Amino acid sequence: MKRSRSETLTNTMIIGGLPDLKDSHSVDYDPEHLEGVSRLAQRLTVDGHKLLVCSPFEGSADHAALRGIAESENAARVEFHYPDIEEIRQKVDEWVERLPNSVVDKFPHHPPETDEPEALQHAWLLSQLSALDRASALIAIGGRIGASAELLLKFAHSRGRLIFPLTALKGASARFLDSHRYEYDDILGSDVQILHQAENYQKIPSLLSRAASEKILGPGRSTRVFISYAREQSEDADFVEMTLRRRGFDVARDEASFEAGHAVPDQIRESIFGSEIFVVLWSANYACSPWCFDEIEI
């Protein structure tokens, strides 16, 4: 049976966990926060999404997701990306045994051959980047600010991945959502509140399918826009530029002055040709400006 647009499936990577395992009270930790991730994982697998996880250890969002799948005995599809180290390999194998009804693929990554203390950290990052490369969507909760979770969120955003940052554990995920709040407010509308409510995380799969089918929150959010306007409308242009930049668009505009009748400068021509969207702030002044019409003609 052919799936409808609303049933678009994804390879969804789960990242995050307690922002600081040594001081969980600093983030108002409640077991319900990670229980919400467990229920979310159950719903994702029931709907047919594949899950990509890295950490098999308690306290991580990956662990909570795996626990949810194990408890529900869903016939899930799971990918493990992890450093090929004995202790970690054993933990992964334990999870494979706990998921007998699931199709589990393992992707071990060899750590750097060095005694440097950062080697394991680099191995984890390599595993996470490998999973992200195979993922079409990312769900993040918590995560330590300044650590790998924050780096992965920025990298995923630059690669055009669908990202759903959950705020129940604060940390890197909450900070990412705050810095991109205009994009999420525009696209999700009132549904953006779901990202703040652990008890409603089961509703995220439907948002994920819709976002994937409509190709929102993903590639194209850095579209280049050129704003064309009359000099008398510079304040209006400032507002439009601010609004677009807050929503992830790359904005170009002509802020130089040149007299009517002169050719449009080469750098303005290049900016216009290099933009996907051309925005005109129409007005009587614009209609009377020969060089504004030159920009339209270009």
Side-chain angles (χ1 to χ4, degrees):
M1 180 183 297
K2 185 177 180 180
R3 288 185 175 273
S4 69
R5 285 171 57 87
S6 62
E7 296 177 300
T8 300
L9 301 181
T10 63
N11 293 338
T12 301
M13 182 179 177
I14 306 288
I15 68 168
L18 299 179
D20 189 344
L21 291 173
K22 298 178 181 177
D23 184 17
S24 61
H25 297 293
S26 66
V27 295
D28 302 322
Y29 175 64
D30 184 313
E32 176 64 22
H33 297 155
L34 289 181
E35 287 299 323
V37 176
S38 296
R39 294 191 296 271
L40 168 57
Q42 292 175 6
R43 186 72 258 171
L44 284 168
T45 55
V46 166
D47 289 354
H49 298 273
K50 177 186 282 189
L51 292 188
L52 283 66
V53 296
C54 295
S55 173
F57 298 104
E58 189 170 0
S60 68
D62 317 56
H63 185 278
L66 291 166
R67 187 177 68 246
I69 298 172
E71 291 173 354
S72 68
E73 299 183 351
N74 291 336
R77 296 182 300 146
V78 179
E79 281 188 15
F80 264 106
H81 293 256
Y82 57 95
D84 193 14
I85 296 173
E86 181 63 25
E87 178 188 4
I88 300 172
R89 191 164 53 242
Q90 289 180 357
K91 283 288 185 180
V92 170
D93 290 340
E94 289 175 9
W95 274 114
V96 172
E97 293 180 4
R98 291 179 61 181
L99 303 173
N101 298 323
S102 299
V103 176
V104 181
D105 294 316
K106 299 189 293 183
F107 293 82
H109 299 277
H110 299 292
E113 295 182 2
T114 175
D115 294 329
E116 294 294 327
E118 297 86 1
L120 181 57
Q121 181 180 353
H122 293 163
W124 277 118
L125 183 58
L126 174 62
S127 301
Q128 291 169 321
L129 289 173
S130 173
L132 181 60
D133 192 50
R134 292 175 59 84
S136 53
L138 183 72
I139 294 176
I141 182 170
R144 295 176 61 185
I145 292 175
S148 62
E150 191 160 38
L151 176 64
L152 286 168
L153 283 166
K154 292 179 179 180
F155 189 69
H157 188 262
S158 70
R159 296 287 297 272
R161 297 295 190 267
L162 291 164
I163 303 174
F164 281 81
L166 314 181
T167 66
L169 290 177
K170 302 181 182 178
S173 299
R175 187 154 87 164
F176 178 86
L177 179 59
D178 183 62
S179 64
H180 296 275
R181 60 188 180 278
Y182 297 103
E183 294 178 48
Y184 285 89
D185 287 343
D186 283 353
I187 293 166
L188 298 181
S190 60
D191 286 336
V192 76
Q193 293 302 316
I194 295 173
L195 304 180
H196 304 289
Q197 303 164 344
E199 66 275 14
N200 285 322
Y201 284 168
Q202 291 182 84
K203 298 179 181 179
I204 288 175
S206 62
L207 296 182
L208 182 61
S209 292
R210 177 166 64 88
S213 65
E214 297 174 5
K215 293 181 170 52
I216 59 176
L217 291 176
R221 297 303 296 165
S222 60
T223 298
R224 188 169 178 81
V225 179
F226 185 90
I227 305 174
S228 181
Y229 60 98
R231 295 304 129 222
E232 294 81 1
Q233 293 174 279
S234 59
E235 291 186 2
D236 294 331
D238 290 341
F239 179 79
V240 173
E241 179 180 4
M242 175 191 69
T243 303
L244 291 171
R245 288 192 184 280
R246 281 178 170 176
R247 288 154 175 82
F249 290 92
D250 184 15
V251 179
R253 53 186 280 196
D254 170 21
E255 298 185 89
S257 296
F258 54 97
E259 297 178 2
H262 285 222
V264 175
D266 289 341
Q267 65 268 28
I268 299 304
R269 287 176 174 272
E270 292 176 4
S271 292
I272 293 173
F273 286 134
S275 299
E276 288 80 33
I277 297 175
F278 186 84
V279 174
V280 172
L281 304 190
W282 186 260
S283 68
N285 287 317
Y286 194 103
C288 294
S289 170
W291 49 264
C292 285
F293 273 93
D294 286 344
E295 291 184 354
I296 287 182
E297 184 177 2
I298 294 171

